[in-house]
Amino acid sequence: MKTADKWIDYKIIATSDGMKLEDWKDAILLRPDPQVIWKGKDLYSYPQINAVYHRSEKGGGSWEIVKPFPAEWTVSYGNLTFKVKPMGFKHTGLFPEQAVNWDEMRRLITLAREKDKQREIKVLNLFAYTGAASVACAKAGAKVTHVDAAKGMVERAGENARLSGVESGIRYIVDDCMKFVAREIRRGNRYDAVIMDPPSYGRGPGGEMWKIERDLFGFVCLCAKLLTDNPVFFLINSYTTGLQPAVLNNILTLALKGYKGKTQAYEVGIATDEGIPLPCGASGLFTGDGYDG
């Protein structure tokens, strides 16, 4: 497991009985987490809680405000700054555990630019949400194309880019990712790196259906056609329960067999004050030949 343990503005205070208690710098939030199947602590009694997210039996849920806190605020990870805002479906607009991947992508982009100072590193970020990965890559000097079907999330991504001073390095596209990739192939556009963070299930703006078990492998194969001859990396993130790292490793190995490089896959987690890492999904990473050392 790769564990995010370098945060200053965020930490997990405790976990118990399907919940995690988090310190987001300006607010203490208690949210559900399906990985927390152990018990032992009454997290609801923590005296400084600002808000608790309650699931509904009908689906979704809502926030219960316990103590006043800002409607939105910012947290920083090194020289990256992001907006935090509690939203529906328990989200805050940021997945802190992904810091392990932000660090690795920035390292790879920096290495590629050092190897060839004339090379412009082009990154395609698909299902890009609020753009933390886009911001991280742009901060390392890459030119990023950010694609998501949700206009509101793309707008949030623009705000995050401005907070980190990289707005000129990111191009934003509101579109169905599969349709966009197909058009880019027809246009002959190529990218040095691809990131994707696909949902388990979703609908595009035109009602397009996405199911990760059915569509992921074919989509990765399609995206492979967008890679340059000497790609830097290809990263897949998955929060789907039961989708093992080895599955992502196999998908990348098969889909990118025409490229030289190394494929690895790993659990992603985040450190807690309890001294245990909280599992938060899996990632698969292909690094191109010359960047895999």
Side-chain angles (χ1 to χ4, degrees), residues 259-282:
Y259 292 93
K260 293 181 179 180
K262 180 179 73 175
T263 299
Q264 61 176 309
Y266 42 88
E267 282 189 272
V268 175
I270 192 158
T272 73
D273 279 1
E274 299 166 307
I276 58 173
L278 178 63
C280 301

Side-chain angles (χ1 to χ4, degrees), residues 1 54 94 147 156 184 234 246:
M1 177 185 288
H54 298 285
L94 188 67
V147 186
R156 283 281 298 275
E184 288 291 89
F234 196 123

